[in-house]
Structure formats: C-alpha cells, structure tokens
C-alpha cells in the first residue's frame, strides 16, 4: 500500500472499520482528527473488545503516519477520557463514497471553521442586522461596496456601524477617516488588551475610543470601528506584534476563541451606539479569522467573487468546508445557508456574462451546499433552480466601472458623481435594502398623489 | 407610507370566489372569446397588428385565442378601443384555416389532402384567399367545390391576379383592409411531409400578398415549425422569416391578465374595482361590448411593476416564506412557472393562482394567497402545463416517463441511455403508426381526432442519433435547458411533475 496522506486517512480508516465490524452504524462512530491530523476512532461500547484489539494493528498499518499509535487509535466510547460526553461534542459530517461519517476536529486555533453557525452560546441575543462582506482576494470592490451602501443608509437617516475585521490589511480607517479624526484605538488594540484582561478593553468601548464618525456621511451617523487608531500610528512597530495576539484564545471563563471575542466586542459596541445596521469587512481569503465573519456573527454574508478560475477554486474549498455542517440542520426558513449570497463583483456588461457567472455559481452550490433532492417529494430540501433569484448562488451584481478602481473615498468621492455610483452599485444596494432590512421601495406602497 | 382605507376592508371573500371560478381549460375553438375574458395584452400589440404576417407562439401562448378574437367584430372593436394605433376598425377578417372542420371559408384537412394530390400547395391557398374575397366583395368565381376553384386558379393565373388586384384596389380606395387568418396549421395534414409542403406553399402566398395593399394574411405558427428549415426553401423567404413576431407573456402581462379577470368576472368584480379605486386611486371606464360592460384595466396597472406588486400584496404574502430571503412572491410565482426558455403560459399562471387560493383557504390562512398555498398552486400548474404541451406534442409523456428517477443537471448520455433502455424512440414510432390507421370521424365540428405527429426533429434528421434529435426537440420546446455543451437541466415546471430529482452535495440527516 502506498504511504497514507492526509486525504487518504479518513477513507482508509472507514474502510478498515467497515471490513472488521460489519453492520456497524456509523451514526454511533466518531472519527477524531487531532491537531496534527492523525485519526482516532471511537466505537460504540457494543463493539466486541477482542475484535477491537485485533483490528488495531491493521488500522495502524493502513494509516501509517496518520495513526496516533495502535493502542490509542481505536477504542470504545467508555474507554476514552471523555466517555459519553464525546457524543455531545459538535461534529462535522463528511460524505465518504456515500457513507456519512461524524468527524470531530481538534485544532490548535481556528476551531471556528469546525463549528456550525447558530450553535454558539448566546447566539440568540437580539442585535441589529449584521452583514459580513467577504471575498477571496482583495481588489474586488468589497470595501467600496460596503462603504457606499453604509453611506447611502446613513444619508437616509439610519445609524450605521462599520467594523473592520480585515486586520492584516486594514483599510476602512484610512479610507473613511482623516488622520485627525481617527479614534485612539482600533479593533486590533481591543483584541490585544482583551487577551490579558486589561481594564482598558472595557474602557475603550464605553468611552468610544474605538469608533469615530466618518465626515463622508456628515450629517448622517456613519460610525467606523477601524482596525487601528491614532495610538498605532504613533507606535507602528507594535502593530504586527499586537496582531499576533489578536487571534489567540483568551482565558476568560473556559477560554474564548476569536469568534466569541469578536461577538462580545460587537455586542458591546451595538449596545453603546445603537446602530440600525452593522456592516463587517471580513478578512479576504480562507484565513482562520474569516470563519468568524462567515459563520459566527449571526450575519448575512455576502460572498464577493469575480468570474475567474482561481476564485471558483477558492469558493469550492470554502463550500466544501461549510457542507460538512449542513447535514445536521433541518432545512427551513431558519437554515443558515439562506443567509449566504453571492455577489458578482466587477461584473462585465457583455452579453451572457451574468448567465455565465450564474451557471458557474450554480454548479458550485449544487455540488457544495444544496441538498440532494430526490425525485418526488423532499419539498423542504434546501435546493434551488439555477434561475431562482432568491437562491444563494444567484448573484447580486456590481458592474465594473474603472472609476472605482483604487477608489479612496476621502480623495475620490467628491469627483465620482452620484450617477456613477447608482449605475454600478444601485441595484446591489436596492437588493440589500430589501434582503437585509425588509425595505421595499416606498413607491411600491404609496401611489397616492 | 400606507394609505388609510376609506371604503372598508379588502373584499377577501369576493376575490376568493372569483379566483375559485377560474376555468380549468381553455379549449381551442373558433368561437369568439367572451368579451369579459378579453384582456388586451399590451405586449401583444405587434402580434395583433395587421401588418405582422407571421406570429410564432408556443402551445398556450394565445395563437388560437387571438385568431378567434380577430375574427370576431365584437372583440375587434374591444381591441381597437384599447389599441387604436392598429386601426382595426378599418379591418375585415376571415379564416384561412382553423381547427374547425365545418368552416365554409376553408377546406378541411381531408379536402386539403385530396387537393394536394393534384395541385400545388400555393394554388390551393391562393384559391382559399380568393374565394373569401370574392364572396365578401361582390365578385364571381366560377365553380362551387374547392376542387373546381383550385383548378380554376391553377389554370388561369392571370385572371386570378386581376381579380385579386381589383378587390384590393377597391378596398384600398375605401381605406379598408381585409385580413385572412391562418391558425392550427399543424392540422392541415396527417404527417410532417404533407404539412410542410402545405405550409411552405402558404408562406409563399403570404409573401406575394405583402405586395398587395388592402389584402393581408396573418399566420400563427408553432415554434418548431418556424424553426423547420424545409418550410423556408423558397426565394425571398427570409423577408417573412426574420419579420416574425413572438407571442410572449411578460411578467406584467400575466399579472395584468389576473387583474383583468378580478375586475370583470362575476359578482365581486365591482367591489374589487372599488377597492382598487380607493386604495390605489385607479379609475375604470367601461366599454360597451355586445350589450355587456367591459372594464379594461388602467394602463398603469398593466405595466407598472411597483403598482402591480402593491396590488398583489393586498391579497398575498409578500415573501415566499417566513424569511424574506426566500424571495418575493411577485417574482417567485412567474419564475417558478417558467419553462426552459423563460416563458410562462397564461393558463398555467391562472391555474397556479386559483389552486394557490384554494390551498390557502383550506389551510385556514387569512390572506387570499399564502406562500404555502402558492407552492402547491405551482405544482398543480405544472401538470396543467404538461397537458397543454401534450396537445401539440402528443409524445411528450412517452419521452418524460423514462426520466422518472433521474437527477438533473445530468449529461446528455444519461438521458439518452434511459430512452434507449425504455425503447422510447420505438414507442413513439409505434404510437404514430397506430394512431395513423383509423380515419377520424368527420362529424365533429372540431378536428379533435388529430393525427399523431412525432417530434419534428425525428422526422427530419440528418446525421444525429434519434435520441440526440429528441434532446434538441425538447430544448426547442422549452422542456430542457442546456447548461453547457454536454449537460442538461430541466426546469421545476416539468421536473417535479415528471418525478425527476435534483443533484445536491448535501444529504440531510435528521
């Protein structure tokens, strides 16, 4: 047998178990992938101990470097440290050649990618609508779209909070706040202070040292919580060092990971500022921290994409990860997948361009996150036709316009006319108004003269 | 801002009853439509224009309906009142061909078949046109039977042309026009070979008439026939071919049809109009037609999407679920009734709304149309649509049944394999020969005993396998859509009724 690779480990483990324990119900089996990627197997207590012992060396052989050792690699539930509690741990579901296996992922950081949305503690806390803006790469107009929509809403009298979670490549602060209008601190500072339980973390939020109003939406309320503030500008040498601490779990309670900490930050800001809406600029790419913005902030998630093979490849990885959380949740109006929506960014006006994008997005979602819909029935399956404009794969569209390349609002906003904004971003913003806020056109209701 | 209602609440019961009374089927017939049922579709203006010779429409898009409407003076007057630009008040009409076997204006299929044995198709249709004109405009034509008249036209081309110009000149001098309407051309023969030859001849005559002021032809054609290259093999055919008008129903047209029904049907119509007046400030002016009052709906309600949505929201849930991300009812409904070409048949739209109402009421919801009911309504409309299609494409069920259990999108080969296993092509051929043998009774007024026409593409394929030709045919009639070069998808409209599944990456465990 060829040496076992990461990708081989789970299928080989499954193969071994199926061969030895015929008729075993895989709903009772847990596959555990440890921090190094080695695979442990936990069988129900009904498995015969003698058979378990006999199977161990074969399993260890098959897994090679991915076996944690023949003794610990295969045990019955009662013989584990966790005992029955293991069965209550959240798991992912992987489809291996038609068999659904339950996989417990143990990771050093980034547990957020392994937890289904809505399973977090305190997930049901009431908060204003939140929208995460995610893209695989920079330069697709994600932050521009976020700012323009936020500004539009502020102009309509809404209170809007923009939160920069693109910590590695901070942008919102520099783009929307003149240097002298920056707040003292930024999100990175808060995360660093919070890690050590500094009282400063609390003070930043209460005394509004983390947010400032952008003059670009004056007189409206457009709050910006940038990644960094004046302090970091004064001490630039500390930024990367702070960043390294930003993603770590703190030791508050049982320990909070990045998503939990950001959720606490967000909740506190929301109580202090009472925004009508929060827009979150997520980090680009499939970084560990993007999991928070995509999965754990109880937000609508906009998935920005240009029509390029590399982009589709990245989204294939993302959806394949999310798919492992989709099996366990009943499809319904509360299905978290309904909160995801593709955005065709820098869209071409060419004939068939939208259809081409839509078709590629559809393929992606069919293979990734849509439920299989058997012939006849399964009305409640989470599945859509390609042409269904309510479907997550059916993109909102932002037409490409060179005027928005390298767009820096502080410099360029005054020269780009409202007409250019409306023609590129208008339909996108109108669709979001309805999707997120439930706003229909006022016209549609009022036909009195 | 919501408007305060002055004149009481929404007439829920009346609207429910009115929707409940939407009829099941619309039979193809030559009877003029009930003036109350005549909704003048703004998007069909070009199709109704006497200058448009060729009108192409799918099954159920209104070919026979408009043929009959144009042939009725009452309907013509109603159309004229709403589309005065077409000047239909100056137009007289007659039937060049129809579903009727007893129409004195034209020969029946059997007579056509007999005539075609000894005469060119072109001469037959010239004779049909000439006889209608002579009998209406005080001219004499030797002979009584079709055979004699056709023979006369064939033997005396000069006299025929003179006669035609004389009538045309007189009509033109009076500022009038005569329009000869041809419908149901798939009933002119018992196989594609005969039909093609007759239609080709007719189109040649139409092209000739285009040069004639005062006399015009209008031909309603199925899309598969329009796309058939062999009927266009005559000089200058492109002039007709490219000038065709497609009978399509835009979203606004479908909703317009619905409001027209609610504003004109039954006891509740008056209350509903009053509601629209008080809530949406829409006013109605009655048109007199055949002693009855018809209330055409205001132009704004026909074409303004925002207004149409507001009017829909009076009676329906705004979104297709408790979560607004499920989509807007206004767009969802036509979207889910669309075939692979994006077309919705008005009949299936109305049936969907009717059954949505029934289901909503059965579930005890307060709205007239609740999203749960609408989903059910769309399902029943899908079987209505398959039945509609079967009228034109009798083989449709034979082709869909073997796909039961398939999941889409899938490769062409998956579909073709299923047909091969089920011997589908042979089944179609068998049905064709079986249905061909008995001569239908000539007594029925409507030629319902139609011949079994196999898929058009099967009758005229060059190199492809018959299964490949079938896929192309299904694509042409909007039952499947091509996703890319080697895969196909089937819209929900047909997929659900045919028990075809949809692929997915997630198998839910509950």
């Amino acid at each position: 047998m060829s040496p076992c690779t990461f990708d081989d480990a789970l299928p080989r483990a499954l193969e071994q178990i199926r061969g030895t324990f015929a008729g075993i119900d895989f709903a009772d089996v847990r596959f555990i992938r440890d921090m190094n990627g080695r695979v442990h197997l936990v069988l129900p207590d009904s498995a015969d101990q003698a058979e378990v012992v006999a199977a161990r060396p074969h399993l260890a052989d098959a897994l090679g470097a991915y076996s944690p050792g023949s003794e610990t690699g295969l045990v019955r539930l009662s013989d584990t440290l966790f005992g029955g509690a293991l069965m209550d741990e959240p798991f992912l579901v992987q489809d291996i050649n038609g068999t659904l296996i339950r996989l417990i992922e143990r990771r050093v950081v980034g547990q957020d990618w392994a937890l289904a949305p809505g399973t977090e503690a305190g997930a049901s806390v009431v908060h204003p609508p939140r929208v995460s803006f995610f893209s695989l790469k920079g330069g697709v107009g994600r932050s521009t779209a976020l700012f323009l929509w936020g500004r539009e809403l502020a102009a309509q009298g809404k209170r809007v909070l923009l939160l920069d979670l693109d910590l590695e490549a901070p942008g919102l602060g520099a783009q929307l706040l003149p240097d002298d209008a920056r707040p003292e601190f930024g999100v990175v500072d808060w995360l660093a202070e919070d890690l050590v339980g500094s009282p400063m973390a609390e003070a930043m939020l209460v005394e509004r040292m983390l947010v400032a109003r952008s003059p670009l939406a004056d007189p409206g309320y457009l709050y910006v919580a940038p990644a960094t503030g004046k302090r970091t500008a004064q001490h630039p040498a500390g930024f990367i060092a702070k960043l390294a601490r930003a993603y770590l779990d703190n030791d508050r309670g049982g320990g909070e990971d990045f998503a939990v900490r950001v959720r606490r930050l967000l909740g506190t800001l929301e109580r202090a500022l009472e925004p009508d809406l929060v827009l979150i600029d997520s980090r680009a790419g499939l970084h560990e921290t993007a999991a928070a913005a995509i999965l754990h902030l109880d937000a609508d998630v906009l998935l920005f994409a240009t029509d390029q093979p590399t982009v589709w490849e990245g989204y294939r990885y993302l959806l394949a990860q999310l798919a492992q959380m989709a099996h366990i949740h009943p499809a319904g109006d509360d299905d978290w997948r309904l909160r995801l929506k593709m955005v065709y960014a820098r869209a071409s006006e060419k004939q068939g361009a939208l259809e081409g994008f839509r078709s590629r997005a559809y393929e992606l979602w069919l293979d990734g996150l849509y439920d299989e819909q058997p012939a006849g029935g399964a009305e409640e399956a989470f599945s859509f036709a390609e042409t269904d404009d309510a479907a997550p794969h059916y993109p909102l569209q932002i037409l490409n316009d060179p005027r928005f390349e390298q767009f820096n609002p502080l410099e360029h906003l005054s020269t780009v006319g409202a007409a250019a904004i409306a023609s590129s971003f208008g339909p996108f913003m109108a669709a979001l108004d309805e999707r997120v806020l439930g706003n229909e056109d006022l016209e549609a209701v009022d036909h009195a003269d | 801002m919501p408007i305060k209602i002055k004149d009481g609440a929404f007439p829920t019961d009346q609207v429910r009853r009115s929707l409940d009374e939407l009829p099941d089927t619309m039979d193809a017939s030559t009877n003029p439509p009930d003036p109350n049922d005549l909704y003048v579709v703004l998007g069909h203006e070009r199709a109704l224009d006497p200058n448009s010779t060729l009108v192409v429409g799918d099954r159920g898009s209104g070919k026979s309906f408009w043929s009959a409407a144009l042939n009725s003076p009452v309907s013509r007057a109603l159309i004229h009142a709403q589309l005065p630009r077409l000047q239909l008040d100056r137009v007289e009409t007659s039937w060049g061909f129809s579903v009727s076997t007893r129409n004195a204006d034209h020969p029946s299929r059997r007579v056509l078949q007999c005539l075609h044995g000894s005469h060119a198709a072109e001469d037959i249709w010239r004779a049909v046109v000439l006889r209608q004109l002579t009998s209406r405009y005080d001219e004499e034509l030797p002979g009584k039977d079709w055979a004699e008249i056709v023979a006369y036209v064939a033997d005396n081309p000069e006299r025929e042309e003179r006669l035609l110009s004389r009538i045309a000149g007189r009509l033109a001098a009076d500022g009038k026009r005569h329009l000869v309407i041809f419908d149901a051309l798939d009933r002119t023969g018992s196989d594609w070979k005969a039909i093609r030859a007759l239609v080709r001849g007719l189109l040649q005559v139409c092209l000739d008439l285009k040069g004639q002021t005062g006399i015009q032809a209008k031909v309603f054609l199925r899309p598969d026939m329009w796309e058939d290259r062999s009927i266009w093999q005559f000089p200058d055919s492109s002039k007709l071919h490219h000038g065709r008008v497609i009978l399509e129903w835009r979203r606004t047209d479908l909703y317009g049809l619905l409001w027209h029904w609610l504003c004109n049907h039954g006891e509740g119509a008056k209350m509903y109009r009053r509601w629209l007046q008080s809530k949406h400030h829409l006013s109605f002016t009655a048109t007199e037609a055949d002693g009855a009052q018809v209330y055409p709906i205001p132009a704004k309600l026909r074409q303004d999407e925002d207004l149409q949505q507001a009017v829909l929201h009076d009676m329906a849930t705004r979104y297709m679920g408790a979560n607004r991300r499920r989509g807007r009812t206004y767009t969802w409904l036509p979207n889910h009734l669309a075939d692979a070409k994006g077309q919705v048949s008005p009949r299936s739209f109305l049936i969907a709304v009717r059954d949505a109402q029934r289901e909503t009421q059965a579930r005890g919801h307060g709205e007239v149309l609740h999203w749960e009911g609408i989903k059910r309504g769309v399902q029943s409309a899908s079987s209505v649509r398959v039945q509609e299609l079967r009228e034109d494409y009798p083989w449709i069920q034979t082709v869909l049944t073997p796909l039961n259990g398939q999941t889409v999108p899938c490769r062409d080969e998956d579909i073709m394999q299923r047909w091969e296993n089920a011997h589908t092509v042979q089944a179609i051929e068998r049905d064709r020969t079986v249905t061909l043998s008995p001569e239908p009774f000539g007594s029925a007024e409507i030629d319902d005993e139609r011949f079994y026409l196999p898929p058009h593409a099967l009758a005229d394929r060059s190199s492809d396998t018959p299964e490949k030709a079938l896929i192309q045919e299904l694509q042409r009639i909007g039952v499947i859509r091509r996703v890319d070069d080697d895969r196909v998808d089937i819209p929900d409209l047909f997929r659900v009724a045919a028990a075809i599944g949809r692929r997915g990456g997630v198998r839910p465990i509950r």
Side-chain angles (χ1 to χ4, degrees):
Chain A
M1 203 186 311
S2 60
C4 184
T5 64
F6 191 97
D7 294 321
D8 297 330
L10 289 174
R12 285 194 187 182
L14 170 66
E15 195 65 19
Q16 286 292 322
I17 297 307
R18 212 203 316 259
T20 314
F21 304 91
I24 195 164
D25 183 353
F26 281 96
D28 301 332
V29 177
R30 289 294 178 275
F31 291 65
I32 303 175
R33 191 153 57 192
D34 69 19
M35 294 188 233
N36 297 319
R38 297 196 174 98
V39 173
H40 307 242
L41 276 161
V42 179
L43 302 179
D45 288 337
S46 57
D48 181 71
Q49 178 63 14
E51 284 180 21
V52 171
V53 171
R56 281 173 175 166
H58 300 292
L59 180 63
D61 268 359
L63 293 182
Y66 285 89
S67 166
S70 73
E71 287 300 309
T72 54
L74 181 65
V75 288
R76 298 190 301 181
L77 186 60
S78 309
D79 303 331
T80 63
L81 283 174
F82 325 95
L86 189 74
M87 299 305 276
D88 300 329
E89 278 200 44
F91 54 81
L92 299 173
V93 177
Q94 276 206 7
D95 185 337
I96 299 179
N97 302 324
T99 304
L100 297 180
I101 64 151
R102 272 88 168 150
L103 171 68
I104 296 175
E105 272 271 86
R106 302 228 189 276
R107 302 155 68 129
V108 185
V109 283
Q111 198 61 26
D112 293 338
W113 277 127
L115 288 172
T119 54
E120 314 90 355
S124 58
V125 172
V126 177
H127 59 77
R130 299 169 179 167
V131 186
S132 285
F133 287 59
F134 173 80
S135 66
L136 277 167
K137 297 179 177 204
V140 300
R142 168 174 53 94
S143 303
T144 303
L146 177 145
F147 159 68
L148 288 175
W149 187 41
R151 174 174 162 271
E152 175 70 27
L153 293 170
Q156 290 167 19
K158 296 238 170 19
R159 297 161 63 91
V160 182
L161 168 62
L162 311 183
L163 179 74
D164 195 351
L165 281 189
D166 193 2
L167 305 180
E168 249 95 10
L172 287 191
Q175 291 192 336
L176 308 181
L177 301 170
D179 287 346
D180 57 348
R182 295 274 203 109
E184 278 299 301
F185 298 102
V187 175
V188 171
D189 299 287
W190 185 87
L191 287 165
E193 300 296 333
D194 178 68
L195 189 69
V196 294
S198 155
M200 203 54 209
E202 193 67 28
M204 280 181 199
L205 301 178
V206 177
E207 295 172 34
R208 300 200 179 179
M209 289 186 276
L210 201 63
V211 288
R213 274 172 64 184
S214 172
L216 293 172
D218 200 51
Y221 287 88
L222 185 66
Y223 292 110
V224 181
T228 61
K230 284 179 182 160
R231 292 288 181 97
T232 303
Q234 289 153 13
H235 305 283
F239 176 71
I240 290 182
K242 275 187 273 186
L243 194 58
R245 275 76 187 177
Y247 303 137
L248 299 183
D249 295 4
N250 68 12
D251 49 13
R252 194 178 166 116
E256 293 179 328
D257 71 6
F258 183 75
V260 178
R261 296 171 71 205
V262 170
R263 215 158 51 234
R264 192 154 48 77
L265 165 66
L266 199 48
T268 316
L269 284 176
E270 285 166 351
R271 279 190 299 280
L273 303 170
E274 300 188 324
D276 296 304
L277 184 80
V278 181
L279 308 185
I280 299 150
D281 202 16
S282 162
R283 208 205 126 134
L286 300 176
H287 188 256
E288 304 282 6
T289 56
I294 293 174
L295 293 173
H296 301 300
L297 297 183
D298 193 27
D300 276 272
V301 180
L302 301 176
L303 305 168
F304 279 67
T306 50
D307 196 356
Q308 289 168 303
T310 49
V311 173
W312 294 119
E313 181 181 332
Y315 272 114
R316 192 160 290 280
Y317 302 147
L318 173 64
L319 264 61
Q321 181 63 31
L322 302 189
Q324 298 173 54
M325 306 161 185
H327 300 262
I328 15 181
H329 287 270
D333 282 348
D334 293 332
D335 196 302
W336 54 268
R337 289 172 285 179
L338 211 47
R339 307 279 298 265
L340 306 172
K341 185 78 170 169
M342 297 293 302
V343 177
Y344 178 16
R346 308 190 61 168
S348 160
E349 274 183 286
K350 280 200 201 108
Q351 180 90 28
L354 176 65
E355 287 74 13
F357 182 99
R358 189 182 70 194
S359 164
R360 280 177 277 285
Y362 188 53
E363 278 297 303
L364 179 79
W365 280 77
L366 270 182
D367 290 340
L369 271 181
Y370 287 160
D371 289 345
E372 183 179 284
Q373 202 177 359
E379 248 182 88
E380 72 280 21
F382 188 83
S383 185
F384 299 86
E386 181 176 334
T387 50
D388 191 336
D389 57 6
H393 75 268
Y394 196 108
L396 305 178
Q397 196 179 195
I398 299 174
L399 286 180
N400 190 31
D401 182 337
R403 280 171 290 191
F404 293 102
E405 273 168 34
Q406 308 291 319
F407 182 70
N408 182 352
L410 281 173
E411 283 178 46
H412 305 131
L413 186 62
S414 51
T415 58
V416 172
I421 295 174
S423 85
S424 221
F425 293 87
F428 167 79
M429 297 194 288
L432 285 182
D433 282 351
E434 173 161 26
R435 186 174 171 84
V436 178
L437 300 168
N439 289 352
E440 323 75 41
D441 308 330
L442 290 175
E443 255 182 290
V445 188
D446 188 356
H447 284 273
D449 10 46
Chain B
M1 297 301 125
I3 307 272
K4 294 222 167 49
I5 308 307
K6 295 161 214 141
D7 294 26
F10 184 77
T12 301
D13 292 341
Q14 286 80 1
V15 169
R16 279 184 176 154
R17 195 169 318 128
S18 176
L19 292 180
D20 192 53
E21 284 164 10
L22 279 162
D24 243 324
T25 52
M26 187 110 82
D27 297 323
S29 87
T30 51
N31 298 332
D34 181 335
N36 276 312
D37 290 347
L38 187 88
Y39 176 57
V40 179
V41 185
L42 292 184
H44 292 184
E45 178 167 355
R46 280 190 62 213
L48 295 171
D49 190 333
N51 295 313
S52 309
T53 304
L54 197 58
V55 181
V56 177
D58 282 313
R59 176 75 205 176
S61 63
K63 296 192 297 292
S64 295
F65 182 85
W66 288 129
S67 304
L70 284 172
N71 262 303
S72 140
V74 174
S75 308
R76 264 204 319 275
L78 264 175
I79 298 170
H80 172 67
Q82 294 170 58
L83 297 172
R85 278 185 296 195
L86 299 183
Q87 300 186 320
L88 284 173
D89 54 337
R90 301 188 189 173
V91 172
E92 293 294 325
T93 57
S94 56
W95 288 101
F97 194 76
S98 72
V99 293
S100 169
T101 54
R102 287 184 181 172
N103 197 317
D105 278 348
H106 64 77
S108 69
R109 185 194 69 243
R110 291 176 62 222
V111 175
L112 271 177
Q113 268 182 304
C114 179
L115 293 171
H116 198 207
S118 44
H119 293 283
E122 212 181 329
D123 288 331
I124 300 174
W125 295 116
R126 282 189 158 271
V128 169
V129 171
L130 194 64
R131 179 156 122 176
Q132 310 192 10
L133 292 168
T134 51
S135 67
R136 279 176 177 77
Y137 301 105
D138 302 323
E139 292 283 353
E140 289 293 323
L141 199 58
K144 235 176 141 204
D145 292 343
W146 284 109
E148 295 169 65
I149 302 168
V150 174
Y152 172 79
V153 167
D155 296 342
N156 303 281
E158 253 190 281
R159 283 191 211 167
E160 184 254 7
E161 282 172 18
R162 251 200 327 269
L163 194 49
L164 206 64
S165 327
R166 197 156 67 226
I167 296 170
R170 236 172 25 233
L171 282 167
D174 292 350
K176 289 201 184 300
R177 312 165 89 176
H178 190 95
L179 185 65
V180 189
I181 296 166
F182 298 85
D183 183 36
L185 291 169
D186 52 342
R187 303 188 191 218
T188 52
S190 53
D191 58 49
W192 281 118
K193 190 164 172 278
I195 295 170
R196 277 173 177 152
L198 283 164
V199 171
R200 192 189 305 123
L202 172 60
L203 292 171
Q204 281 173 277
V205 174
C206 289
L207 190 59
D208 290 347
L209 286 176
K210 268 193 148 336
Q212 218 31 292
T213 46
I215 301 170
Q216 221 95 59
K218 186 183 283 297
V219 177
F220 289 91
L221 210 57
R222 281 164 48 158
D224 56 341
M225 292 166 75
W226 181 77
E227 288 189 26
D228 178 6
R229 278 193 215 101
S230 66
I231 68 166
W232 295 103
Q233 285 161 0
F234 59 90
D236 277 345
S237 66
S238 62
K239 284 182 190 162
L240 270 184
H241 189 73
H242 296 318
R244 61 93 169 70
V245 175
I246 301 179
L247 265 185
E248 286 177 326
W249 288 75
R250 298 168 307 184
R251 188 158 66 199
T252 44
D253 299 330
L254 295 165
Y255 281 106
L257 177 69
L258 177 62
W259 312 140
H260 180 88
W261 174 267
L262 291 176
C263 289
N264 284 282
H265 178 78
E267 302 290 309
K270 193 174 171 190
M271 283 190 73
Y272 188 63
R273 289 197 305 270
R274 201 186 297 154
W275 162 267
L276 290 177
Q277 191 150 21
S278 74
K279 167 97 187 266
H280 300 283
H281 306 275
L282 296 168
S283 50
F284 291 81
T285 317
T287 307
E288 165 98 22
D290 208 16
Q293 302 284 318
V294 176
Y295 292 87
I297 62 172
K300 202 164 155 66
L301 189 53
R302 293 165 186 253
Q303 45 197 351
D304 182 336
E305 294 220 317
D306 290 339
L307 174 61
Q308 287 199 337
Q309 292 197 54
V311 171
L312 179 66
H313 294 156
D314 291 344
M315 64 171 90
T317 50
R318 184 182 293 270
Y319 297 105
M320 285 307 295
N323 187 328
R324 56 180 172 267
R325 294 169 191 85
R326 282 283 174 190
R328 254 191 254 176
T329 303
Y330 178 77
T331 49
W332 193 95
L333 182 54
N335 221 346
H336 282 74
L337 291 169
D339 68 13
K341 296 186 286 185
Q343 289 299 303
V344 179
S345 95
R347 177 80 352 211
S348 59
F349 182 79
L350 292 179
I351 294 288
V353 174
R354 183 195 69 185
D355 290 4
Q357 186 284 128
R358 288 179 182 169
E359 180 71 15
T360 300
Q361 201 171 7
R363 288 178 183 235
H365 293 295
E367 300 88 354
V368 174
L369 302 170
H370 183 275
W371 56 268
E372 285 175 353
I374 294 172
K375 286 190 172 170
R376 180 60 68 84
V378 165
Q379 278 180 23
S380 49
S382 91
S383 45
V384 168
R385 184 58 188 154
V386 173
Q387 261 164 25
E388 258 187 345
L389 277 184
R390 200 185 297 166
E391 294 275 315
D392 273 4
Y393 312 108
W395 42 269
I396 193 83
Q397 202 59 53
T398 315
V399 165
L400 284 178
T401 304
L403 303 186
N404 191 315
Q406 177 67 40
T407 54
V408 288
C410 64
R411 295 175 317 138
D412 282 18
E413 287 77 22
D414 300 330
I415 299 231
M416 295 195 288
Q417 190 62 55
R418 281 175 174 270
W419 284 334
E420 275 170 42
N421 294 347
H423 306 289
T424 302
V425 173
Q426 292 87 328
I428 291 172
E429 180 59 22
R430 195 179 54 236
D431 288 346
R432 187 179 72 83
T433 45
V434 166
T435 331
L436 205 80
S437 40
E439 186 65 9
F441 301 100
S443 58
E445 193 194 333
I446 302 297
D447 191 0
D448 261 343
E449 304 273 331
R450 299 172 62 192
F451 282 92
Y452 185 98
L453 290 175
H456 209 271
L458 279 191
D460 170 47
R461 61 195 169 78
S462 34
S463 57
D464 288 339
T465 65
E467 281 82 9
K468 238 194 180 93
L470 261 188
I471 287 190
Q472 280 164 10
E473 185 78 2
L474 286 179
Q475 192 183 344
R476 181 152 42 215
I477 67 175
V479 174
I480 66 176
R481 54 191 293 271
R482 188 152 282 292
V483 184
D484 50 39
D485 285 344
D486 61 346
R487 276 172 324 112
V488 295
D489 194 11
I490 299 182
D492 286 355
L493 180 65
F494 304 113
R495 187 182 62 78
V496 176
I500 294 166
R502 185 181 286 130
R503 210 177 79 211
V506 179
R507 253 188 310 142
I509 50 175
R510 312 231 160 146

